[in-house]
Amino acid sequence: MASGFPKKTLTPRPWSREMLKSFTLRPSKSLWEKFFSMKKKIEARRSILPSINPVLDKSEPHQKLSSVPLKQNLFQISPPEVVFQNFVTHEVSEMVLSIMNKDKFPQVVKVSMESSPYFQLTCSNDAYRVVLPGASAPVRIRFTPEENKDYSHQLVCMTESERIVVPIRAIGGRTILTFPDQLDFSACPVKYSTQKTLLVRNVGNRAAHYQLSTQSPFSVVPTTGTLGAGDSMRVTVGFHPLTTGDHSGWLCCNTGEETIHTELHGEAGAVRVGLSTNFVEVETTFITMSNHATMFIKNRSNVTAHFQWKAFPTEEEENKEKRRLV
């Protein structure tokens, strides 16, 4: 890489493997996963070791000089997994991997890495090294990202008896949107639109390209957009039930990294709107003349009632009559 780029050496910081996967979950669990304490991550990482496979080459015997039993590893790799974090795009970062010889005799190890535009060894690739007993051989890995995203690669250490594969990962920025786990509309009038507004923040370190969706009788605005890191926005969720009773649904937010779900619940009930009478009688009148009677629509609720006169009591009966006429 060009020597003009600034370099910085990063301290290995282990991350949980589950954080690198795309998953569908509730917002609180998403926040818990992403803000999981570093102490717990370190304890979880201690149990992770590099992949070690025996070299089945019968043409050459096992180490001629070795005090380590065949079932034990000659070398110890530290850290067991190389993880780059908090990197800057187009800026060169380096991390050091240590290979320690646990034997009482000098051992030969070959360090290699497949060609990559992002990860390189500062030393010669496929180079053989002699590691003295109890000593460690440092291996410097250089990383140059082009985007603020995740990268992965691997380093291979070969000895006469084993092949050790060390994972290399780079963890880019994350989007973290603060949706609630549940949104309850409680008791709402039937055939009436009730809205609730959520203040959603992106507490991550990368812009979120989101898609919001739900299903009837719920609605959401906006449905798509971009929310920058540290920014906030207002999301309006509507509830417009056409029938009485309990209604449930989900508000889904897809950011490309994950899909989180907010549970929606609403209860629809009839409002106190009725007629002043259920029977209207028009007095006798003469031919070519007209007469009328008066009735009232009484709204005893605290919402505005929109009404329409129809010949049928339900929409189903009205549609049935329309089909009959057609």
Side-chain angles (χ1 to χ4, degrees):
M1 304 302 295
S3 59
F5 286 118
K7 296 191 299 183
K8 63 178 181 180
T9 300
L10 303 181
T11 302
R13 296 174 59 191
W15 277 56
S16 174
R17 292 182 186 271
E18 286 74 16
M19 297 181 64
L20 303 176
K21 299 178 181 178
S22 298
F23 42 77
T24 301
L25 70 170
R26 300 290 285 274
S28 63
K29 186 176 180 181
S30 173
L31 292 175
W32 184 85
E33 290 284 351
K34 293 182 177 181
F35 288 115
F36 194 55
S37 68
M38 189 58 65
K39 180 179 178 181
K40 295 294 183 180
K41 293 177 189 175
I42 294 175
E43 292 176 354
R45 181 60 61 191
R46 287 173 180 169
S47 61
I48 299 176
L49 297 176
S51 174
I52 303 176
N53 301 312
V55 177
L56 301 178
D57 187 0
K58 298 182 180 180
S59 61
E60 295 185 10
H62 181 60
Q63 299 289 100
K64 298 179 180 179
L65 294 176
S66 177
S67 62
V68 178
L70 291 175
K71 295 183 179 181
Q72 295 185 16
N73 304 323
L74 295 177
F75 289 90
Q76 178 179 346
I77 307 297
S78 179
E81 183 178 23
V82 178
V83 181
F84 290 87
Q85 298 184 72
N86 302 321
F87 54 81
V88 179
T89 305
H90 301 299
E91 182 176 320
V92 179
S93 303
E94 287 186 359
M95 290 188 65
V96 179
L97 184 74
S98 176
I99 305 176
M100 187 180 72
N101 181 8
K102 300 190 298 182
D103 202 0
K104 296 180 180 180
F105 302 96
Q107 299 294 338
V108 178
V109 61
K110 183 179 76 170
V111 179
S112 61
M113 179 188 295
E114 292 186 4
S115 177
S116 169
Y118 314 112
F119 298 96
Q120 297 87 27
L121 292 174
T122 58
C123 59
S124 300
N125 198 19
D126 292 332
Y128 287 89
R129 303 186 182 190
V130 178
V131 185
L132 298 178
S136 298
V139 177
R140 287 186 172 272
I141 302 171
R142 180 174 295 171
F143 171 54
T144 309
E146 291 184 355
E147 300 179 49
N148 186 13
K149 66 175 186 179
D150 293 350
Y151 294 87
S152 63
H153 204 49
Q154 64 182 21
L155 176 74
V156 178
C157 301
M158 291 283 296
T159 69
E160 290 185 1
S161 61
E162 57 195 16
R163 180 177 183 269
I164 307 174
V165 179
V166 182
I168 303 175
R169 304 182 189 276
I171 302 177
R174 287 290 185 269
T175 61
I176 307 175
L177 301 182
T178 57
F179 279 91
D181 281 353
Q182 184 175 0
L183 183 61
D184 194 350
F185 283 86
S186 300
C188 298
V190 67
K191 297 183 180 180
Y192 183 81
S193 181
T194 305
Q195 295 180 341
K196 286 196 173 185
T197 301
L198 303 176
L199 182 62
V200 179
R201 292 189 59 200
N202 181 4
V203 297
N205 53 6
R206 190 171 71 175
H209 303 281
Y210 61 85
Q211 289 185 342
L212 301 178
S213 61
T214 185
Q215 57 282 333
S216 179
F218 301 96
S219 61
V220 61
V221 176
T223 55
T224 60
T226 301
L227 185 63
D231 294 342
S232 59
M233 66 176 180
R234 295 184 182 275
V235 175
T236 302
V237 182
F239 177 48
H240 190 91
L242 299 180
T243 57
T244 58
D246 292 337
H247 299 268
S248 299
W250 296 94
L251 172 63
C252 305
C253 177
N254 187 345
T255 63
E257 298 177 6
E258 62 185 7
T259 300
I260 55 178
H261 293 74
T262 296
E263 185 178 0
L264 304 177
H265 179 263
E267 180 182 353
V271 295
R272 299 182 60 189
V273 177
L275 301 176
S276 59
T277 179
N278 293 327
F279 178 79
V280 176
E281 181 180 2
V282 180
E283 295 182 358
T284 304
T285 186
F286 298 97
I287 298 176
T288 70
M289 299 186 67
S290 64
N291 204 345
H292 67 274
T294 303
M295 60 182 300
F296 297 94
I297 301 176
K298 297 182 178 181
N299 182 3
R300 297 182 178 89
S301 68
N302 56 356
V303 299
T304 302
H306 300 273
F307 65 91
Q308 182 180 8
W309 294 106
K310 292 188 175 183
F312 298 90
T314 64
E315 187 175 355
E316 182 180 357
E317 293 184 22
E318 182 179 359
N319 292 334
K320 182 178 179 181
E321 179 65 17
K322 288 180 180 179
R323 291 192 296 268
R324 188 188 69 81
L325 295 178
V326 170

